[in-house]
Each structure stands twice: as structure tokens, then as C-alpha cells.
């Protein structure tokens, strides 16, 4: 400042000129703000903001690490630039379960270019990132938000060497920190001291350690070498010599930090013991130089000699490694430092005859890396776009981990030399077991195994005996691979083999390709076997090329006395659901996102789930992220209104259904069970329609792949797509991590309406007309189909008419009854008269008096003689005679017949 001119910094110091650098992280440097916030937007969600106060960025010496819980940790730095400049930093971002963004805001708190804020995951050490800054005030933000998916804790984001240019011209030079030096004047940075050297602050050169001490790269002091133990060396084998023998060799682990001259130190065991070489791997043969060479195409080998494939057969190409005398040429191994995450020029895995194992690293928290590269694949039949499986190959390996602490073995897959994606992780000791990964893309693939003994760094080697062993690796359909056996094929006229056309299978009897019959599909599993025609499951049909079975959005259900018909056409397109709030403890709301393509599309898988945490913000690469397409897929989604992003954040997509097994009402199909107790039935009379699926994606808990059941339930109160539910006992949709159970309630799941779903109501007769109306039975468990019949009207007799008829008939009946009563009353009088006459005759005989010729008839007695009644007059005649013989004085005139036979006399 005194001379008003720029001068070079002295040795042992450095300067960025118009910038500043932050490379010491023993504490958070001055000027940085370290803030933790809770992204909860729903107060009823549970936890309070105080739960996140400790979830901040943590300084760890050479770098600063992010949080790993469901809080949001923000590292901020405000700077005023005198001119346009840049901000640059190095970072490690290994786990997409953390949302990591870096962005800059100006004076108006407006962010810079949106696409530059989203960081990409890293798998190969430190990545460099730089962003241009404008003149004036700039606020820099490093923000992370983690969410623990499947109860796994993600690995933190690491940031180091933050440099900013464009600030005011510096008026001082900064001394080099301990462990670094600047040998020349005018340095813009300080160099690390090499191994076994050290330096203090402001050093111009590094000092060598004494013979009994050692130092790692960039050390500020030297440490005393401990006595050597059996954990400081490892064993390996040499290549086979001309006699077919290999030597067992013992080597010190590099870098060697122990002292073998101390009294209690272990000594390196003697090397050179010769043993017979293991045989060659399948598909290889031993050449004159005792090296294993691949067999030529058209032949196969079990490791001894090459044999030509018989006529009508072809070699099954692949790669199988089960003997480990030397590392195969398409494999490489290295070590990634667990301290500074930089690669070291040393081997991480060593061959040991019948297995390959992890050697001793420089530190117990180093990553031991083994990578296998395959140039491409040549499946015997091309994977059809609409097939139930897009498998082009599969890799199967047998491994074992022996650990005394929390070691981890990672298996990662890379496509076309792009960033490796972690596929599976094993923690702790694991017995000898097999794992299979299905390859669905024909491209150059890399398969990587990474083993870390412990995530914590400690001086020395304590857990070298914790190792991972790889016994065998088998990859099918490798382009340019070798064969260990041959299979039948359809021969061509020239003698070569040709693959069967799509939808055809090889007939072993004739050796010709025969089309699969309708209702079957072509299945090519297990790998290496000849594809065969397999029947489709219930409720499904085969497509035209017999590559898969699918449901055509219809179903028929036979019930006692009726048959129900279903139409799921409205559910044919892909339908997305967000099921259940977050089950985390910090208040960040995220959802299990399910996307379902139930039927239709002739079996094509159209449901997709995306991982857009890192790749979706890369416009130069399409900006779509990693996409999983299947019949049913699941991802973890953080809504945009929660994290404040323009779009939702989707992570860790998995396929739950690659193949339709069948559609039925039975709870069990093909070994898959949908327990009814998980979703108690709402309508016992109408069973649920269950869709059964399988996925070829293999996990630790699902060696045969995942399975999914979708229980489609008729719910008239939920029109449209309805709602999706998971079992209350299993909020993630699965109770065992292997089989997923979903309940889809919608009105579209109801059967088509038919005559059995409505009833008739007959109305009263009004005005000579009667109306019959048809109504739905309640609850109405149908939709579409047959409509309600229109009301019917017909003629009828009203109640007034029938009342008149009734009165008339009643009157006639009453008159008739009265006449009958009068008739029988008169009849009764005649009988009384006859009875009196009989009594009088009997009395006369007893007194022996002569019988009178006539007698007087008292009033009211019947005056008719029995001869007169014998004339049998009609009822009207009798009534007429009765009325005409009554005298005016009230007495009846009765004709009497004298006993002498004279004429009748009238009394």
C-alpha cells in the first residue's frame, strides 16, 4: 500500500491477488454464516424448529461436511466485488439422498442462473465447480437437505478450497498453513508436503522425518512408527510359470508405516512357496506359455481345452471368473483415500487362487476399489421394446464380508463411462452369498465393488483383517465373450445358427422354430437356456408377437346367478399417487410417490419415476434425470412448496412391476399372496379385483425380485382416478421389503351395470293409469353398462270403480240373504205344524177318541195341509200364494180337506 504497486509474495506465503481462499477448516472461517432450518410447513406435522439447531455444516480440518438428517443446513458467505470475478470450490457429493445446491444471490436477493445451482453426484474423488460473479454484493449459498430413505443414513457432502476472485486488491500475503510450503516467491497457492516430510506455518520447504518416524502427505508433524503386526502385510500370487506353478508372495502394505526392527515387531513371512496353478476360467484354455487364452468363436471350454460346438448348437457367450491367479485384463483396482478422497497408485484387491480379496490400505477408512468393464452385449434374441423384460444380460457374483466393525461393501454400475450409480450396499459381516443384477441397456458397462472397513479415521491399521472376498463373477451375453457350453439353435442352410423370429421357440424334436400359440408368451429365463412358450396367467392375453402377457382393461367375474363385467379403460393411462406423509423426525414432509400403469397400451410399461436430484438440472444432457419405466414404480418426492424449488424433487426411483402375472379375485397367484387382512373388505358381496406383478430387480431381501399386488376396489364415492392406500401396518407399502401391497379405491373399479343392479317400484293406480319406475339397488356398486329402463305406464281400474262394484255386489248379497232367511223361517213354521199334528195324533190314539175331521188353527200356525205343500211351488209362487190368502181381518184362509172326501171348505 505504501508504494501503491503490486509486489510478489515472499517464499512461504501466497496471495490470490484480487481474491481470497478458504482451505483451513479447523473451524468455520470468519465471515461465514452457518444456519440450520426446518422446512416444515405444516404445524401439525410434529417436531419443532429446535430439533434442527445442531444440523449444520461441520468443519473437519481439510474440508467442511454437510448434515445428514432431514433438516436444511445452509453455509453462507457475503462478499462485495470491486469487479466481476468467480467463485470456485471442490466438492464430493456421493449420495443422491441429499439435495445439494449452490447458488448466488445479488443485491435484490435474486438468484443467478437456475441451472447452475444443482450439483451432480460424484464417484471419482473431488470435483471442481466454478461460477461467475457480478460486480457488487453477492451472497453465496451452499445448501443441503437430506432425507433418510429405507432407514439409511446418507453420506454427507464435503466442500473444500473455496476461492473467490474479484474482491478488493489484497494488501498482504497469507502464510502457508502447516503441512504445506511455497518454495518460490509470487506463489498463488501452497503445495502439500510429500509423505514422510512435514512443515510448519509459512514454510519454504518440507523437512524429512527421522528414520523411526513417518508422516502422511500434508502433515504438520511426524509420528513414531509402531511395531509391525500381521495387519501390516498381505499375500498374493504370481502368474503361472512355464511349469504351471505359482508362488505365494507376502508384501508389506503401502505406505509402510510400521517398524519391523523393534523387538516385539512381526516379521514378513518368507515368500516363494510354489503351488500348482489353478485351472483356467471357463471359456479359456492354457497356451504353451502357461497363460490362459480365450477359445475361438464356435467352441467352448471348461477351463482345460477348447471343444467345437456340435452341429445344430451355438456357443453361449459370456464371462465367468472363478479362478484368480492373475487379475483379468478387463479388471483394474485402486484405492480411494477416505481422508482426502483422492486416488492412490496402489492395488486395493489382491488375487488368492480361488477368490480375490481386499488388501490392506493406507488407512482403515480407505475405499478399496475393483472395477470390471464390459464393452457391450450380444443377446441371442433382441430385447423387444414392448416385452415383459428388457433384459440384455445379467451379472451374478458370489461374495463374503468378514468384519469386526461396521464395514460396508458397495456395488455400483456405470453406463458409457458415466458416473457410477450405487445399486446395492451391504453393511457388517455377511456370509457367502450370491447377488444378481439385470442389465437392461446394451452399452459399455462398468461394474464396481468398493469396500470400506470403517468410516472413521484413526492412526495406524487396526482392521486389516476385515476383508471382502469375491469368489466368482459371471456375466451373460458378453460381446466378444467366451463360452463354457453350447445350446440348441435353428440351423441355417450354411450350417450356422440363426435366432428364432420374435414369438417363436425352438422345437427340440425337429430343430425348427415354431410360433407360440395364442395365450402364451416367450420366456427366456434362466439365462443361457432355450426360450420356451409359457401360458399366460388368469385374466391376461398374449400380444401379437408373444413377447408378453397383458390385461386388456377388462375382466369378467362369475358369481352365483350372475356374471359381472368390468371395464378399466379409464385407468389405462399412467396414474400418479402420493401416499402418506413423511415418517421422519425432523419435520420435512416427503411422500412415497407411486406411478401405476394398470392395463392397456397392449402391455407396454408407461409408468415412470425419475431421479432428478442431480441430473435433471443438466440442460446440455437433456435435463430428464435417471428414469425408471415399468407397470408400477416408486420414488421419494419432496413437494416444491416444501423446499421452495420450482419443481418437485424426486429421488431413488425403483421398479416394482415389470411383468403382469395375472388378474384374479383369489388372494394368491404364482407364489404371490395379497393378505385380505391388510385391507378389510368394504363390500363382502363384491370381491376386489387383484392385479399381480413381478419385477426382475433383485435386492438383498428379494433374491428373486420384487412383487406387487394392486387390489382394485369398487368405491362409487371416489370418481375418476380415486385414491391409493398402503397397509396401515406397513406405511412404506411393504412389510418385508420384497412384496408391495396397494389398495386402489375408485368408481372405475366397479363392474358394468346390468339388470341385477336395479329393481322395479310399482306405483298406485291413479286416473285409470299405473306407473312402474326402476331404481338402482343401494349401495350402487356399478357404473356405465346398462342404463335404467324408462318408466312404464299401463291402464288400470281405480279404487272408486272397485268400491261401487263392491257396494252393488254387497247389496245383492244382502237381499238374497234376507230372502233365504224368510224362506227358512217359513219352512220352520211348517215343521212346527207337522210336529204339533203328530203330537195330537199320538194323544188321540192314547185316549181312543175318534179323530176329528178338522180342527181349529190358532193364529200364527201354518194352515197349509201337507197335500197342498206337495205341489212344490217355486219360491216366488209360495210368496205370492202366501200374500193372496191373507184376509183383510188379519187371518189366513186355509183350505181344509174333509175326511169324507167332500169338497174343500174355506175357513
Amino acid at each position: 500500500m505504501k508504494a501503491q504497486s503490486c509486489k510478489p509474495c515472499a517464499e512461504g506465503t501466497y496471495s490470490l491477488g484480487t481474491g481470497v481462499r478458504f482451505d483451513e477448516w479447523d473451524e468455520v472461517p470468519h465471515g461465514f454464516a452457518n444456519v440450520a432450518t426446518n422446512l416444515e410447513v405444516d404445524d401439525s406435522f410434529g417436531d419443532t424448529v429446535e430439533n434442527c439447531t445442531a444440523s449444520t455444516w461441520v468443519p473437519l480440518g481439510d474440508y467442511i461436511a454437510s448434515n445428514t438428517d432431514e433438516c436444511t443446513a445452509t453455509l453462507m458467505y457475503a462478499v462485495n466485488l470491486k469487479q466481476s470475478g468467480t467463485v470456485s470450490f471442490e466438492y464430493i457429493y456421493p449420495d443422491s439422498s441429499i439435495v445439494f445446491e449452490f447458488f448466488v444471490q445479488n443485491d435484490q436477493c435474486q438468484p443467478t442462473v437456475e441451472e447452475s445451482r444443482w450439483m451432480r453426484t460424484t464417484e471419482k474423488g473431488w470435483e471442481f465447480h466454478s461460477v461467475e460473479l457480478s460486480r457488487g454484493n453477492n451472497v453465496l449459498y451452499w445448501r443441503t437437505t437430506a432425507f433418510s430413505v429405507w432407514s439409511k443414513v446418507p453420506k454427507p457432502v464435503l466442500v473444500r478450497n473455496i476461492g473467490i476472485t474479484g474482491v478488493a486488491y489484497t494488501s498482504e500475503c497469507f502464510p502457508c498453513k502447516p503441512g504445506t510450503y511455497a518454495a518460490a516467491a509470487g506463489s498463488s497457492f501452497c503445495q502439500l508436503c510429500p509423505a514422510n516430510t512435514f512443515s510448519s506455518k509459512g514454510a519454504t520447504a518440507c523437512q524429512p522425518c527421522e528414520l523411526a518416524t513417518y508422516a502422511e502427505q500434508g502433515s504438520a508433524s511426524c509420528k513414531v512408527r509402531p511395531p509391525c503386526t500381521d495387519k501390516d502385510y498381505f499375500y498374493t500370487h504370481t502368474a503361472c510359470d512355464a511349469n504351471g506353478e505359482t508362488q505365494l508372495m507376502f508384501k508389506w502394505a503401502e505406505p509402510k508405516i510400521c517398524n519391523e526392527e523393534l523387538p516385539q515387531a512381526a516379521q514378513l513371512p518368507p515368500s516363494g512357496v510354489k503351488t500348482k496353478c489353478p485351472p483356467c476360467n471357463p471359456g479359456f484354455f492354457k497356451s504353451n506359455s502357461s497363460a490362459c487364452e480365450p477359445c475361438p468363436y464356435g467352441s467352448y471350454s471348461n477351463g482345460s481345452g477348447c471343444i467345437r460346438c456340435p452341429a445344430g448348437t451355438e456357443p453361449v457367450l459370456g464371462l465367468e471368473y472363478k479362478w484368480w491367479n492373475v487379475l483379468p485384463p478387463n479388471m483394474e483396482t485402486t484405492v480411494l483415500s477416505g481422508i482426502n478422497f483422492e486416488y492412490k497408485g496402489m492395488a486395493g484387491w489382491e488375487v488368492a487362487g480361488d477368490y480375490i480379496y481386499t488388501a490392506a490400505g493406507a488407512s482403515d477408512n480407505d475405499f478399496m476399489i475393483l472395477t470390471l468393464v464390459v464393452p457391450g452385449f450380444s443377446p441371442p434374441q433382441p430385447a423387444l421394446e414392448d416385452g415383459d423384460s428388457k433384459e440384455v444380460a445379467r451379472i451374478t457374483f458370489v461374495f463374503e464380508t468378514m468384519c469386526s466393525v461396521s464395514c460396508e461393501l458397495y456395488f455400483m454400475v456405470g453406463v458409457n463411462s458415466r458416473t457410477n450409480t450405487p445399486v446395492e450396499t451391504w453393511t457388517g459381516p455377511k456370509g457367502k452369498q450370491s447377488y444378481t443384477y439385470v442389465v437392461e441397456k446394451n452399452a459399455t458397462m462398468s461394474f464396481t465393488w468398493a469396500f470400506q472397513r470403517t468410516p472413521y479415521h484413526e492412526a495406524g491399521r487396526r482392521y486389516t483383517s476385515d476383508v471382502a472376498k469375491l469368489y466368482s463373477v459371471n456375466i451373460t451375453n458378453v460381446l466378444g465373450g467366451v463360452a463354457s457350453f453350447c445350446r440348441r439353435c435353428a440351423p441355417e442352410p450354411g450350417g450356422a445358427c440363426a435366432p428364432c423370429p420374435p414369438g417363436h421357440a425352438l422345437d427340440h424334436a425337429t430343430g425348427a422354430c415354431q410360433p407360440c400359440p395364442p395365450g402364451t408368451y416367450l420366456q427366456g429365463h434362466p439365462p443361457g437356456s432355450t426360450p420356451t412358450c409359457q401360458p399366460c396367467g388368469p385374466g391376461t392375453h398374449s400380444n401379437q408377437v408373444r413377447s408378453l402377457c397383458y390385461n386388456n382393461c377388462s375382466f369378467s367375474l362369475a358369481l352365483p346367478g350372475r356374471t359381472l363385467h368390468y371395464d378399466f379403460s379409464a385407468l389405462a393411462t399412467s396414474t400418479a399417487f402420493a401416499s402418506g406423509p413423511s415418517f421422519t423426525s425432523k419435520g420435512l414432509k416427503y411422500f412415497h410417490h407411486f406411478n401405476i400403469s394398470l392395463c392397456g397400451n397392449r402391455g407396454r410399461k408407461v409408468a415412470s419415476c425419475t431421479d432428478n436430484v442431480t441430473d435433471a438440472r443438466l440442460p446440455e444432457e437433456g435435463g430428464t434425470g435417471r428414469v425408471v419405466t415399468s407397470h408400477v414404480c416408486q420414488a421419494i418426492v419432496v413437494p416444491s412448496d416444501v423446499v421452495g424449488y420450482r419443481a418437485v424433487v424426486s429421488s431413488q426411483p425403483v421398479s416394482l412391476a415389470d411383468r403382469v402375472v395375472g388378474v384374479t379375485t383369489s388372494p394368491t397367484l404364482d407364489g404371490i399372496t395379497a393378505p385380505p387382512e391388510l385391507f378389510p373388505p368394504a363390500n363382502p358381496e363384491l370381491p376386489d379385483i387383484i392385479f399381480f406383478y413381478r419385477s426382475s430387480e433383485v435386492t438383498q431381501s428379494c433374491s428373486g425380485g420384487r412383487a406387487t399386488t394392486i387390489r382394485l376396489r369398487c368405491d362409487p364415492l371416489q370418481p375418476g382416478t380415486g385414491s391409493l392406500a398402503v397397509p396401515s401396518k406397513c406405511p412404506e407399502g411393504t412389510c418385508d421389503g420384497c412384496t408391495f401391497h396397494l389398495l386402489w379405491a375408485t368408481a372405475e373399479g366397479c363392474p358394468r351395470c346390468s339388470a341385477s343392479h336395479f329393481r322395479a317400484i310399482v306405483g298406485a293406480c291413479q286416473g285409470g293409469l299405473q306407473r312402474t319406475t326402476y331404481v338402482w339397488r343401494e349401495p350402487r356398486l356399478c357404473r356405465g353398462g346398462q342404463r335404467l329402463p324408462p318408466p312404464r305406464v299401463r291402464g288400470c281400474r281405480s279404487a272408486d270403480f272397485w268400491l261401487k262394484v263392491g257396494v252393488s255386489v254387497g247389496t245383492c248379497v244382502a237381499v238374497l240373504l234376507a230372502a233365504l232367511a224368510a224362506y227358512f223361517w217359513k219352512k220352520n213354521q211348517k215343521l212346527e205344524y207337522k210336529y204339533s199334528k203328530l203330537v195330537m195324533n199320538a194323544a188321540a190314539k192314547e185316549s181312543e177318541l175318534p179323530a176329528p175331521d178338522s180342527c181349529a188353527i190358532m193364529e200364527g200356525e201354518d194352515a197349509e195341509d201337507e197335500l197342498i205343500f206337495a205341489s212344490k211351488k217355486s219360491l216366488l209362487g209360495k210368496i205370492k200364494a202366501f200374500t193372496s190368502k191373507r184376509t183383510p181381518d188379519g187371518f189366513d184362509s186355509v183350505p181344509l180337506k174333509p175326511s169324507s172326501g167332500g169338497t174343500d171348505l174355506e175357513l
Side-chain angles (χ1 to χ4, degrees):
M1 292 296 292
K2 292 180 180 180
Q4 290 294 302
S5 62
C6 297
K7 295 182 179 180
C9 291
E11 296 88 346
T13 63
Y14 74 97
S15 169
L16 296 180
T18 60
V20 292
R21 177 183 288 125
F22 302 96
D23 54 5
E24 296 185 42
W25 297 95
D26 295 322
E27 61 181 5
V28 178
H30 177 71
F32 280 86
N34 199 358
V35 181
T37 57
N38 188 307
L39 287 182
E40 178 183 353
V41 296
D42 186 356
D43 292 337
S44 65
F45 214 63
D47 299 341
T48 58
V49 178
E50 283 74 18
N51 289 336
C52 286
T53 54
S55 300
T56 59
W57 289 76
V58 180
L60 296 174
D62 293 333
Y63 51 81
I64 187 169
S66 73
N67 65 319
T68 57
D69 55 16
E70 292 81 9
C71 298
T72 295
T74 304
L75 186 67
M76 297 182 293
Y77 185 76
V79 62
N80 184 279
L81 299 188
K82 303 302 182 182
Q83 61 184 19
S84 298
T86 60
V87 56
S88 61
F89 58 92
E90 297 178 21
Y91 72 96
I92 286 182
Y93 179 16
D95 198 332
S96 62
S97 296
I98 294 181
V99 180
F100 177 36
E101 54 179 331
F102 170 75
F103 60 96
V104 182
Q105 288 185 347
N106 56 19
D107 293 351
Q108 289 76 35
C109 292
Q110 296 176 347
T112 56
V113 182
E114 185 77 14
E115 286 75 11
S116 65
R117 69 187 294 171
W118 308 102
M119 309 305 295
R120 295 187 59 182
T121 54
T122 61
E123 295 295 340
K124 295 185 178 180
W126 293 92
E127 293 283 347
F128 180 81
H129 186 69
S130 178
V131 175
E132 294 184 357
L133 301 178
S134 58
R135 181 179 178 181
N137 291 323
N138 293 268
V139 183
L140 315 180
Y141 293 86
W142 292 265
R143 177 183 290 173
T144 57
T145 303
F147 42 96
S148 301
V149 183
W150 314 117
S151 302
K152 294 182 180 178
V153 178
K155 293 188 176 299
V157 176
L158 309 180
V159 175
R160 72 177 185 182
N161 291 341
I162 299 176
I164 304 173
T165 63
V167 298
Y169 295 105
T170 183
S171 60
E172 61 178 335
C173 297
F174 300 95
C176 293
K177 68 176 183 178
T180 64
Y181 71 100
S187 298
S188 61
F189 65 93
C190 299
Q191 296 179 339
L192 293 175
C193 288
N196 294 324
T197 63
F198 72 99
S199 70
S200 57
K201 187 175 183 179
T204 59
C206 299
Q207 304 299 321
C209 294
E210 297 180 359
L211 188 60
T213 61
Y214 75 99
E216 298 174 353
Q217 184 183 31
S219 297
S221 61
C222 297
K223 302 176 183 178
V224 178
R225 293 181 181 271
C228 292
T229 66
D230 57 357
K231 295 179 174 56
D232 291 308
Y233 62 83
F234 63 94
Y235 62 93
T236 184
H237 289 79
T238 62
C240 292
D241 55 20
N243 297 324
E245 294 179 333
T246 178
Q247 296 185 42
L248 178 64
M249 305 296 293
F250 291 92
K251 297 180 180 180
W252 291 112
E254 295 294 337
K256 183 183 177 184
I257 61 175
C258 65
N259 189 350
E260 60 183 308
E261 298 180 356
L262 296 177
Q264 65 272 32
Q267 300 299 314
L268 191 68
S271 301
V273 177
K274 292 186 177 182
T275 57
K276 186 178 180 180
C277 282
C280 293
N281 283 306
F284 291 81
F285 72 98
K286 191 161 294 186
S287 64
N288 295 331
S289 61
S290 295
C292 293
E293 300 289 343
C295 290
Y297 181 79
S299 60
Y300 69 98
S301 168
N302 60 0
S304 56
C306 300
I307 304 173
R308 294 291 300 178
C309 288
T313 64
E314 62 179 350
V316 180
L317 300 181
L319 286 176
E320 183 178 3
Y321 300 122
K322 62 180 182 179
W323 301 110
W324 305 92
N325 181 245
V326 293
L327 198 65
N330 58 346
M331 275 187 169
E332 60 180 15
T333 177
T334 185
V335 176
L336 175 66
S337 172
I339 303 174
N340 55 19
F341 295 92
E342 295 178 348
Y343 285 91
K344 303 177 181 179
M346 54 187 298
W349 294 67
E350 293 289 343
V351 295
D354 55 353
Y355 61 87
I356 182 173
Y357 75 105
T358 51
S363 173
D364 284 337
N365 66 335
D366 287 347
F367 291 90
M368 321 306 289
I369 308 295
L370 178 67
T371 301
L372 169 63
V373 179
V374 177
F377 304 94
S378 59
Q381 289 185 332
L384 298 178
E385 189 66 24
D386 59 349
D388 69 326
S389 175
K390 296 182 180 179
E391 176 180 342
V392 297
R394 59 175 53 194
I395 177 173
T396 303
F397 57 90
V398 179
F399 70 98
E400 180 183 17
T401 58
M402 294 177 288
C403 307
S404 58
V405 290
S406 58
C407 66
E408 287 186 314
L409 175 65
Y410 302 87
F411 176 64
M412 297 173 287
V413 176
V415 181
N416 291 331
S417 301
R418 290 191 60 187
T419 302
N420 285 334
T421 301
V423 173
E424 194 60 81
T425 304
W426 295 270
T427 302
K430 299 294 181 183
K432 192 174 182 180
Q433 58 186 276
S434 174
Y435 177 81
T436 299
Y437 174 78
V438 176
V439 179
E440 295 185 346
K441 187 173 183 179
N442 196 344
T444 300
M445 305 287 291
S446 64
F447 306 101
T448 301
W449 295 265
F451 179 73
Q452 186 183 35
R453 292 178 169 87
T454 176
Y456 308 104
H457 173 65
E458 297 181 9
R461 299 184 180 94
R462 301 177 56 188
Y463 307 110
T464 307
S465 57
D466 294 359
V467 297
K469 293 183 178 182
L470 204 58
Y471 291 93
S472 65
V473 178
N474 189 355
I475 312 175
T476 63
N477 303 333
V478 176
L479 182 66
V482 294
S484 59
F485 63 96
C486 301
R487 64 183 164 201
R488 289 288 302 272
C489 63
E492 289 183 332
C497 284
C500 289
H504 291 65
L506 182 66
D507 188 350
H508 290 277
T510 61
C513 296
Q514 300 292 336
C516 288
T520 65
Y521 73 103
L522 199 63
Q523 184 183 42
H525 304 298
S529 63
T530 304
T532 57
C533 301
Q534 299 293 331
C536 292
T540 62
H541 313 271
S542 59
N543 60 351
Q544 186 174 1
V545 295
R546 309 292 188 262
S547 61
L548 56 83
C549 298
Y550 69 100
N551 177 266
N552 59 355
C553 293
S554 63
F555 186 76
S556 296
L557 175 61
L559 295 177
R562 57 175 178 160
T563 299
L564 302 180
H565 301 280
Y566 292 79
D567 183 5
F568 310 127
S569 300
L571 307 178
T573 58
S574 178
T575 307
F577 295 95
S579 176
S582 168
F583 50 87
T584 58
S585 60
K586 296 294 184 179
L588 175 60
K589 179 186 292 186
Y590 62 87
F591 299 89
H592 289 287
H593 172 83
F594 294 95
N595 206 338
I596 301 174
S597 173
L598 190 69
C599 60
N601 305 293
R602 298 196 65 83
R604 292 182 176 89
K605 295 176 284 189
V606 296
S608 61
C609 297
T610 306
D611 182 358
N612 64 3
V613 172
T614 61
D615 295 330
R617 291 89 180 186
L618 304 175
E620 69 277 5
E621 298 185 10
T624 57
R626 187 172 69 92
V627 179
V628 171
T629 303
S630 64
H631 294 296
V632 183
C633 63
Q634 181 192 28
I636 304 301
V637 170
V638 181
S640 57
D641 59 340
V642 174
V643 292
Y645 304 148
R646 286 193 312 183
V648 297
V649 176
S650 177
S651 176
Q652 299 196 5
V654 293
S655 172
L656 304 182
D658 295 327
R659 178 171 64 90
V660 181
V661 178
V663 182
T664 179
T665 58
S666 173
T668 302
L669 181 63
D670 192 30
I672 308 173
T673 301
E677 61 270 12
L678 294 180
F679 304 104
N683 302 296
E685 298 181 356
L686 186 63
D688 299 330
I689 309 300
I690 308 176
F691 286 71
F692 291 84
Y693 300 90
R694 284 197 183 277
S695 171
S696 58
E697 191 169 323
V698 178
T699 63
Q700 290 187 51
S701 58
C702 311
S703 59
R706 295 186 179 97
T708 300
T709 67
I710 298 180
R711 187 178 289 268
L712 195 62
R713 176 169 294 176
C714 171
D715 189 348
L717 301 180
Q718 299 197 44
T721 57
S723 64
L724 192 73
V726 297
S728 58
K729 300 178 181 178
C730 315
E732 296 181 12
T734 175
C735 302
D736 57 2
C738 191
T739 303
F740 287 76
H741 304 283
L742 305 175
L743 173 64
W744 192 349
T746 171
E748 301 296 336
C750 297
R752 306 280 290 177
C753 293
S754 61
S756 62
H757 291 100
F758 57 82
R759 60 188 179 90
I761 298 179
V762 180
C765 184
Q766 296 180 350
L769 298 177
Q770 187 178 47
R771 178 183 294 268
T772 301
T773 306
Y774 297 90
V775 296
W776 297 110
R777 297 183 184 274
E778 294 296 336
R780 180 185 173 183
L781 300 177
C782 70
R783 65 171 189 86
Q786 183 175 345
R787 297 182 179 180
L788 283 176
R792 293 192 305 171
V793 179
R794 63 179 181 178
C796 64
R797 300 293 185 179
S798 63
D800 295 339
F801 171 80
W802 291 111
L803 180 60
K804 294 177 181 179
V805 172
V807 171
S808 301
V809 173
T811 302
C812 295
V813 171
V815 173
L816 179 62
L817 290 177
L820 291 174
Y823 168 74
F824 285 112
W825 178 77
K826 300 298 284 182
K827 191 76 173 176
N828 185 57
Q829 292 295 321
K830 182 190 70 170
L831 293 176
E832 288 182 357
Y833 165 74
K834 290 181 178 182
Y835 176 74
S836 300
K837 188 175 181 179
L838 291 175
V839 171
M840 293 174 62
N841 291 336
K845 288 181 181 182
E846 289 178 359
S847 59
E848 296 181 355
L849 292 178
D853 292 336
S854 61
C855 64
I857 299 177
M858 300 300 294
E859 183 180 358
E861 292 181 345
D862 192 354
E864 297 179 356
D865 189 76
E866 58 183 2
L867 297 178
I868 295 176
F869 283 102
S871 61
K872 297 188 181 294
K873 295 181 179 180
S874 64
L875 178 62
L876 294 177
K878 293 178 181 180
I879 296 174
K880 184 177 179 181
F882 173 76
T883 56
S884 62
K885 293 181 179 181
R886 176 74 64 175
T887 59
D889 56 1
F891 292 93
D892 292 333
S893 62
V894 180
L896 299 177
K897 182 179 179 182
S899 59
S900 60
T903 58
D904 294 341
L905 299 179
E906 180 129 357
L907 178 61

